[in-house]
Amino acid sequence: MVRFSFIFLFILLLFSSAIGQEATLPPAPSTDVMAKDTPNDAGGSITISWKKSPDDIGTVREENKVKGYEILRSTEGKGEYEVLGKTTAGSEIYFDTHAHNGVPYYYKVRALGIQSFSESLPSAPAKAKAQWIDWRRKYTFLLALIVALSIVYFINQAKSGKQLFIRKIAGLEAVEDAVGRATEMGRKIFYIPGISDMDSMQTIAGVTILGQVAKKTAEYEAKLEVPTSRSLVMVSCRETIKEAYSNAGRPDLYNEDMVYYLTDDQFGYTAAVDGLFVREKPAAVFLQGQFYAESLILAETGNYVGAIQIAGTAQPAQLPFFVAACDYTLIGEELFAASAYLSRDPKLLGSLKGQDVGKFIFLFFIIVGSLFLTFGIYDLSFLFR
Amino acid sequence: METIGIWIAALLTLGIFSFLYKDNPFYKFCESLFVGVSAGYWFVTTFWQVFMPKLADNLVAGRFYYIIGAIFGVMMLLRLIPKIGWISRWSLALVVGTTAGLYFTRYLVSNGMVQVQYTIISLYVKGNLSQTIGNLVIVIGTFSGLIYFFFSKEHKGAFGGLAKLGIWFLMLSFGASFGYTVMSRMSLLIGRMDFLLGTWLGLIR
Amino acid sequence: MRREIPLAITAIVGFALIIVYFIPHPPFNASKDFFEDLFFIIAAFAIWLGCLNLLKVNADKVYLKKKGWPFSIVVWFGFFLMVIVGFWEGRGFMNPGTTFYYLYDKLYYPLNATMFSILAFFVASASYRAFRARNKEATILLIAALFVMLGRVPFGYYLSSWLPEGWRLGNITDWIMDFPQTAAQRAIMIGIALGIVSSSLRVLLGLERTFASGE
Amino acid sequence: MKFLEKLLAVDRRIIFLFIAIAVALPLFFVVKLHIEVTPVVRNLHNALEALPPGSKVLVSLDYDPGSMPELQPMAESFFRYCFNRDLKVIIMGLWPNGPIQANVALEVVLKEPEIMKKNLKYGIDYVNLGYTAGNEVVIERMGSDIPVTFPKDYSGNKTEDLPLMKGVMNFNNIDFVYNLSAGYPGTVEWVLFAVDPYKVKLGAGNTAVQAPQIYPYLNSGQLVGLLGGMKGGAEFEIATGYPAKAVRYMFSQSVAHAVICLFILLGNFAYFATRKKKGS
């Protein structure tokens, strides 16, 4: 008996020394493996979560450390498991995105050591299914609904003839001065509607503003010229100016050649307009619409020939050059506001008002939310998650 | 072959640069070549990387409903024939609808709601003066900037003062964009100069 | 009919995509995948349309002997050079070592890169001749620009290394970028977001129909 | 003051000449400059350091040769970093030129002796999925199914047959996304269509023109870090310990910026001095 226990002890010692030297013991398994349907989706996915292996927490010796986890799946609790995928050490969640809806699946998590691994107990079965509503997005839905309804509401208001207020826009006040000065000096006015086509909202806004500028040039009998880089823009500009001139009672002053097409090519167009500026030395230049890299070249040349320049674009990257080189600049949304202000088009006015409702909501929550948070009352930011 | 190529590239580079002196036929030639080559490049790329895998392969694999994509696509091309060009609007409508539908929610969330969410911050961070000032600047800057873009109220009194503050914030950010744009353009020029002086002439290592 | 059908297509596709954002259940999610696939294919056709249009415009120029028509032949030459070689090469057309890649590297790349690098020259002349502190706004802009331009390159470090750590040009630039700049960009972004929401809505409701009319 | 007026009216070609010299001349000198790593670059580097070897990194190159001087050094330094750290690289592009730019960068990086030693294999250590038309819709589609969005890789192999792509179904199976962007579609679209709906971890390198517009996403944490322009590229090279192209160009960049600043100051001085005179 004593001899046996000696042998037993000996074997035990052998084992423990082997562990101490080689460290090939597998890491402790992860526990509490749970599987459930991934919520708020179209089905086909199951979320597997688990508690990290004790060898994945805190300072564990490098040799014992968990290197990652493998996720295994089976359709029967005790049957064959197939490896689904791998995830990094420290993770506690995995999404099985290859699940069939309505089929029960069992999952195991395998903690990987350097050479060996250990498996957890299988999870309870879970089935993937599709949900009707994505509840995470309820506040988004609410906000979208409010903004959309207010836009529609205000468009209808404007259509029914109600006067909607829009604040004065600084650059627009200068239009009259610029046109007047051009008449005095007997020099031309150039209007550049940008290099984009009529599918751009900015170009459309630019053409709308052109209508108002044209009304003034008709009144003052100033010379207006509009070189365009798209044939469709040319057609629209012609119609706009023609209408403005007859509305101002001077259809006799209108002439098709005021608007002409140069070329579609960005730099080709820029070079041509550049040449026009230098030769004609216009008294005023309007740059209203969607501009890209050419903004800088145009504004520089216009400034160089001494023109009053009124610019406007919603391209954030080009705004700095306009602000620095032009006398007045319509910044971003001001371009759209200006076209609504001038044209009184119900759909533009209504949208602008509807957007203001959205802005009001945002402004309110930024200030109230921040104050609440500062004084530790409540965190409102969840509303925008 | 490589040497010839470098010479061609260098001549084309100089051709474009010649525009800086004056518009000239050499520049025009390079520009036209650029327009043609880039169109050809796009044509070939979309053929091998979109048509073959997305359309042809799906049809070959028996997913015949993909023919709808081809039909809409051909409708798009019909714009080239003025008489029946109107039909291209059907495909355009699909493109416009897809972008409008996706943009509606995505912009509202990422550029609107998420930005507001991160602007709701504490205006006082205990023991961290610079963070406190930073947070204050973020909230006031965003708030006053938005006030400037609020069109339903005249810029008068305290509201006008906020709008004025807002425009200063905007100007500061435009100044930053300005600096960064200059940086970008200079980098591009450095790249070309390095090619001309280094790769082509071998003057720098 | 010519007008109603495109408007209907836009509305159906657009609203389906909005709905699927909130309702992930079939059949809505399948409609999303399908519309997106259609979009890819049409987008590719749209690129082809642009190319063919370019060829047509330039062919007209040559045919009518318009001013500068020989350059239109150059456009055609460039286009077909790329297309013929590209089709000849097959699926691996862009792997390094192919003729197509050679053309890309020796024609397309230098032309494209140089085209944009000439802007550096115009920035220089504009900064000398046009960028003026003409009012308070422009003054703020230019001062911020000077800080960023100097603070973002090693030069700024040498200019301000005599200042204590945290107050150097680089630090000030970091601060401008992280706080006031971020705040203003956020205001712009929120504005743009609402603008896009309203224009998308107008398109989907059929109020904005420029794309569906004209010509 | 006649002189100042004349100075203001100088032919712009003379200014062009000045800037050409300011950019070209410094290229002839090798100057070791002090380049500080800014927090936004440091954050990106830290996030990458936290990825364990074997992690799958998706790299989307969304630019064309026009932005090569700024973004190509970033692509090279990123690939070098990934290969050194044994990260698996999946390449794609929302711009048709992107995947080619990737091949150009790979050609440079794979030839470096340290990388050669690793004996990297296409399909196992890196793949190039190529380009697909459709802009942000491509990202949207990848959220549900990557193999369907990119059925074949760049050279026409079936995506599903590539060992590296085994088990890569959608963004859930991607550990980090890195985006090099020169405009639309680019980083903004990756934030909107990948980060927000699918909670992807995203880092980016941008042209300097783009960078300021990206900062709000940094502050909000939608983006872990950003390399802005050539300077950002240089900082990343310093952070990873491999100073390369971007660092080399920094002297030239410095001089060019200084010249532009001088131009602005001189131009404004002359302008106000002459105007004052006219006014009085």
Side-chain angles (χ1 to χ4, degrees):
Chain A
M1 195 60 210
V2 176
R3 211 175 65 165
F4 265 114
S5 46
F6 260 112
I7 292 170
F8 183 72
L9 242 168
F10 180 71
I11 291 170
L12 226 143
L13 263 168
L14 246 178
F15 253 107
S16 60
S17 65
I19 293 162
Q21 283 161 11
E22 305 287 328
T24 49
L25 201 71
S30 49
T31 51
D32 293 335
V33 179
M34 291 211 289
K36 59 175 197 299
D37 173 42
T38 308
N40 301 315
D41 69 353
S45 170
I46 291 175
T47 309
I48 302 109
S49 63
W50 60 89
K51 285 224 172 79
K52 276 185 283 198
S53 151
D55 290 328
D56 192 12
I57 305 165
T59 46
V60 182
R61 277 178 49 204
E62 198 50 42
E63 311 88 76
N64 294 346
K65 218 167 177 178
V66 169
K67 300 293 166 226
Y69 297 98
E70 258 176 0
I71 287 77
L72 298 93
R73 181 177 81 171
S74 170
T75 43
E76 293 152 64
K78 290 194 180 125
E80 283 270 304
Y81 278 76
E82 48 156 355
V83 177
L84 257 187
K86 222 168 129 177
T87 175
T88 52
S91 30
E92 290 188 299
I93 197 161
Y94 183 85
F95 298 96
D96 171 9
T97 45
H98 297 263
H100 292 284
N101 286 351
V103 180
Y105 291 105
Y106 299 82
Y107 295 89
K108 277 186 191 172
V109 175
R110 195 182 262 178
L112 302 173
I114 293 182
Q115 289 161 352
S116 50
F117 58 79
S118 63
E119 278 179 15
S120 69
L121 295 169
S123 69
K127 288 181 199 170
K129 64 171 192 281
Q131 276 77 38
W132 277 105
I133 290 173
D134 188 340
W135 286 106
R136 291 167 303 176
R137 292 170 174 169
K138 52 183 178 292
Y139 297 117
T140 311
F141 180 75
L142 201 67
L143 186 71
L145 199 68
I146 295 174
V147 174
L149 287 180
S150 16
I151 290 170
V152 173
Y153 170 78
F154 280 114
I155 290 178
N156 282 330
Q157 287 272 300
K159 269 188 186 157
S160 69
K162 193 155 184 281
Q163 284 297 312
L164 298 177
F165 174 81
I166 289 186
R167 74 161 163 87
K168 276 205 296 279
I169 291 155
L172 292 181
E173 318 261 287
V175 170
E176 192 139 5
D177 293 345
V179 174
R181 194 178 141 212
T183 314
E184 257 172 49
M185 296 167 80
R187 292 218 207 122
K188 281 183 178 160
I189 295 172
F190 275 100
Y191 194 102
I192 315 294
I195 61 157
S196 289
D197 214 333
M198 288 308 287
D199 58 350
S200 149
M201 289 306 295
Q202 298 186 45
T203 314
I204 295 172
V207 174
T208 313
I209 296 170
L210 168 65
Q212 304 302 311
V213 174
K215 217 161 93 189
K216 291 274 176 286
T217 57
E219 284 167 17
Y220 282 82
E221 300 185 15
K223 283 175 276 181
L224 177 67
E225 245 180 74
V226 187
T228 70
S229 106
R230 305 279 163 160
S231 50
L232 216 58
V233 176
M234 175 186 76
V235 176
S236 310
C237 288
R238 276 187 183 156
E239 275 168 29
T240 311
I241 296 179
K242 196 174 176 185
E243 202 186 313
Y245 272 61
S246 51
N247 282 348
R250 302 302 304 269
D252 52 308
L253 287 178
Y254 172 75
N255 164 3
E256 272 218 332
D257 299 335
M258 291 161 106
V259 186
Y260 46 91
Y261 163 85
L262 289 172
T263 165
D264 264 48
D265 179 64
Q266 183 185 13
F267 287 99
Y269 176 75
T270 312
V273 174
D274 213 48
L276 282 171
F277 282 4
V278 173
R279 281 194 302 276
E280 306 274 357
K281 298 213 173 3
V285 169
F286 290 87
L287 303 154
Q288 304 280 349
Q290 188 159 6
F291 289 86
Y292 293 95
E294 72 284 355
S295 71
L296 166 79
I297 304 174
L298 296 177
E300 193 246 10
T301 316
N303 181 285
Y304 187 61
V305 299
I308 288 190
Q309 300 201 90
I310 301 178
T313 186
Q315 293 293 106
Q318 306 308 329
L319 275 166
F321 301 114
F322 278 162
V323 173
C326 299
D327 299 271
Y328 297 94
T329 308
L330 301 180
I331 297 163
E333 276 193 288
E334 274 188 307
L335 176 72
F336 303 115
S339 81
Y341 182 85
L342 292 170
S343 68
R344 312 305 293 179
D345 177 352
K347 68 171 193 270
L348 296 180
L349 275 175
S351 316
L352 205 62
K353 280 281 175 187
Q355 290 170 47
D356 269 3
V357 171
K359 262 172 242 163
F360 181 80
I361 296 172
F362 286 154
L363 283 166
F364 177 83
F365 280 103
I366 286 174
I367 261 320
V368 173
S370 293
L371 288 176
F372 271 30
L373 209 59
T374 310
F375 295 108
I377 301 169
Y378 199 69
D379 185 358
L380 287 169
S381 66
F382 74 93
L383 287 172
F384 297 94
R385 212 154 275 153
Chain B
M1 206 56 190
E2 186 61 23
T3 321
I4 299 169
I6 288 173
W7 273 83
I8 293 172
L11 289 178
L12 294 177
T13 303
L14 291 176
I16 303 273
F17 276 150
S18 73
F19 174 74
L20 292 168
Y21 181 72
K22 210 170 123 190
D23 202 359
N24 63 72
F26 188 25
Y27 168 75
K28 277 256 165 61
F29 173 84
C30 294
E31 195 197 341
S32 309
L33 189 66
F34 175 48
V35 170
V37 163
S38 58
Y41 169 74
W42 279 80
F43 198 88
V44 172
T45 306
T46 43
F47 181 82
W48 288 118
Q49 304 201 333
V50 183
F51 276 81
M52 292 309 280
K54 283 252 144 58
L55 189 60
D57 289 355
N58 271 317
L59 290 175
V60 168
R63 285 185 284 275
F64 293 115
Y65 55 89
Y66 271 83
I67 200 78
I68 298 175
I71 293 171
F72 269 102
V74 171
M75 278 154 99
M76 191 73 141
L77 293 184
L78 287 180
R79 172 172 278 207
L80 291 168
I81 306 162
K83 248 188 184 163
I84 45 171
W86 56 270
I87 206 155
S88 72
R89 279 184 224 136
W90 291 26
S91 356
L92 195 61
L94 202 135
V95 171
V96 171
T98 310
T99 31
L102 287 176
Y103 275 18
F104 183 90
T105 46
R106 290 295 187 267
Y107 268 89
L108 184 68
V109 173
S110 301
N111 270 14
M113 294 175 70
V114 175
Q115 297 308 318
V116 172
Q117 180 201 331
Y118 289 106
T119 311
I120 299 180
I121 44 181
S122 179
L123 301 176
Y124 176 69
V125 185
K126 211 172 167 189
N128 192 338
L129 183 68
S130 73
Q131 193 61 42
T132 303
I133 296 174
N135 282 4
L136 212 62
V137 166
I138 291 255
V139 172
I140 294 175
T142 311
F143 188 81
S144 59
L146 262 180
I147 290 278
Y148 182 79
F149 290 123
F150 195 77
F151 295 101
S152 297
K153 195 166 158 43
E154 200 66 69
H155 286 173
K156 275 192 212 135
F159 190 81
L162 268 176
K164 190 97 198 154
L165 186 66
I167 193 88
W168 291 349
F169 269 99
L170 291 177
M171 288 305 149
L172 206 76
S173 93
F174 291 156
S177 305
F178 183 108
Y180 267 84
T181 306
V182 171
M183 188 165 144
S184 234
R185 304 295 180 230
M186 290 304 154
S187 303
L188 297 188
L189 184 56
I190 292 170
R192 288 332 283 155
M193 286 291 185
D194 191 45
F195 168 76
L196 285 179
L197 298 171
T199 317
W200 182 42
L201 296 175
L203 294 175
I204 44 185
R205 48 145 206 141
Chain C
M1 275 301 272
R2 282 190 182 187
R3 207 170 229 233
E4 279 72 27
I5 291 180
L7 290 177
I9 294 175
T10 306
I12 293 169
V13 175
F15 281 117
L17 289 172
I18 293 178
I19 290 170
V20 75
Y21 187 78
F22 300 107
I23 301 178
H25 203 278
F28 297 103
N29 67 325
S31 73
K32 171 172 169 267
D33 292 352
F34 181 63
F35 288 142
E36 283 176 3
D37 267 343
L38 283 188
F39 181 89
F40 291 143
I41 296 168
I42 299 173
F45 270 103
I47 290 171
W48 278 35
L49 175 68
C51 296
L52 295 176
N53 212 15
L54 181 82
L55 290 181
K56 190 180 148 198
V57 168
N58 281 289
D60 285 351
K61 260 195 190 161
V62 176
Y63 184 70
L64 300 170
K65 293 269 181 311
K66 278 194 188 162
K67 195 178 152 233
W69 62 268
F71 294 114
S72 293
I73 298 175
V74 179
V75 173
W76 270 71
F77 169 76
F79 181 83
F80 280 105
L81 182 67
M82 293 305 267
V83 168
I84 291 167
V85 173
F87 281 128
W88 176 259
E89 297 280 6
R91 244 183 178 146
F93 68 107
M94 266 317 294
N95 289 336
T98 60
T99 312
F100 191 81
Y101 179 79
Y102 181 81
L103 293 176
Y104 172 86
D105 193 42
K106 303 300 185 242
L107 295 182
Y108 183 74
Y109 167 55
L111 285 167
N112 184 324
T114 314
M115 215 47 163
F116 280 91
S117 74
I118 58 171
L119 287 163
F121 293 99
F122 288 102
V123 164
S125 89
S127 61
Y128 181 65
R129 304 198 309 178
F131 298 150
R132 301 277 180 261
R134 66 188 83 240
N135 50 37
K136 213 181 285 169
E137 282 80 30
T139 313
I140 298 176
L141 188 154
L142 287 178
I143 290 173
L146 290 176
F147 268 105
V148 170
M149 271 189 274
L150 291 176
R152 270 291 169 261
V153 286
F155 198 68
Y157 169 82
Y158 295 110
L159 269 181
S160 60
S161 56
W162 51 276
L163 285 165
E165 183 94 36
W167 294 93
R168 294 178 186 156
L169 271 171
N171 305 116
I172 295 172
T173 307
D174 282 340
W175 190 83
I176 292 177
M177 294 307 291
D178 286 342
F179 299 112
Q181 200 278 142
T182 293
Q185 287 288 351
R186 239 179 223 172
I188 296 172
M189 277 164 68
I190 294 172
I192 290 176
L194 288 167
I196 285 180
V197 165
S198 90
S199 60
S200 301
L201 190 72
R202 289 204 305 263
V203 164
L204 296 184
L205 292 177
L207 295 168
E208 198 73 69
R209 41 178 81 183
T210 25
F211 74 90
S213 58
E215 282 162 276
Chain D
M1 286 293 164
K2 260 271 151 45
F3 170 69
L4 281 179
E5 264 168 54
K6 255 200 194 135
L7 200 67
L8 266 182
V10 65
D11 191 312
R12 69 178 174 195
R13 278 172 282 202
I14 294 181
I15 300 167
F16 291 166
L17 198 65
F18 262 98
I19 206 70
I21 294 168
V23 166
L25 207 57
L27 285 175
F28 288 94
F29 302 96
V30 182
V31 180
K32 201 168 156 28
L33 291 166
H34 174 93
I35 296 170
E36 248 168 310
V37 180
T38 53
V40 285
V41 176
R42 177 74 60 206
N43 290 345
L44 176 70
H45 185 241
N46 289 346
L48 289 169
E49 286 284 296
L51 295 174
S55 301
K56 283 173 182 149
V57 179
L58 178 77
V59 188
S60 182
L61 292 93
D62 307 331
Y63 61 97
D64 64 9
S67 318
M68 214 159 141
E70 285 182 278
L71 299 178
Q72 201 65 14
M74 293 188 198
E76 286 171 16
S77 60
F78 188 78
F79 288 146
R80 185 180 300 120
Y81 173 84
C82 288
F83 293 147
N84 274 330
R85 290 265 341 268
D86 296 320
L87 303 176
K88 307 286 173 192
V89 180
I90 302 167
I91 297 160
M92 59 165 283
L94 297 176
W95 289 32
N97 307 62
I100 308 149
Q101 300 297 351
N103 280 349
V104 175
L106 285 173
E107 224 185 330
V108 174
V109 174
L110 291 174
K111 270 189 203 143
E112 290 172 9
E114 269 183 62
I115 309 288
M116 290 267 271
K117 261 188 256 158
K118 302 227 166 216
N119 197 18
L120 300 170
K121 290 236 161 43
Y122 182 84
I124 298 168
D125 299 292
Y126 63 100
V127 296
N128 189 342
L129 297 182
Y131 155 82
T132 282
N135 302 334
E136 63 278 359
V137 183
V138 175
I139 310 175
E140 177 82 28
R141 199 79 174 82
M142 288 173 78
S144 41
D145 204 330
I146 293 176
V148 164
T149 324
F150 290 94
K152 299 212 166 151
D153 78 350
Y154 192 79
S155 323
N157 305 310
K158 268 190 120 171
T159 304
E160 282 164 343
D161 297 345
L162 298 165
L164 175 51
M165 296 304 288
K166 284 258 153 64
V168 177
M169 178 72 188
N170 53 32
F171 288 133
N172 288 329
N173 316 108
I174 302 278
D175 299 293
F176 195 86
V177 178
Y178 183 66
N179 165 242
L180 291 171
S181 151
Y184 168 84
T187 305
V188 174
E189 282 66 34
W190 278 100
V191 170
L192 260 60
F193 295 90
V195 174
D196 290 344
Y198 301 106
K199 310 290 169 235
V200 163
K201 244 193 255 165
L202 177 69
N206 270 239
T207 57
V209 177
Q210 281 280 306
Q213 290 168 53
I214 304 300
Y215 264 77
Y217 299 119
L218 283 169
N219 180 282
S220 61
Q222 285 157 292
L223 196 62
V224 294
L226 173 72
L227 315 184
M230 197 183 263
K231 171 71 183 333
E235 288 173 32
F236 188 74
E237 287 173 4
I238 297 284
T240 54
Y242 284 87
K245 271 183 200 155
V247 170
R248 189 160 70 81
Y249 290 146
M250 265 308 113
F251 183 39
S252 196
Q253 184 93 40
S254 274
V255 175
H257 282 210
V259 169
I260 294 289
C261 288
L262 280 180
F263 275 167
I264 292 180
L265 293 173
L266 193 67
N268 272 286
F269 171 71
Y271 171 74
F272 284 107
T274 50
R275 212 176 61 160
K276 220 177 182 177
K277 200 185 158 215
K278 268 181 205 156
S280 61

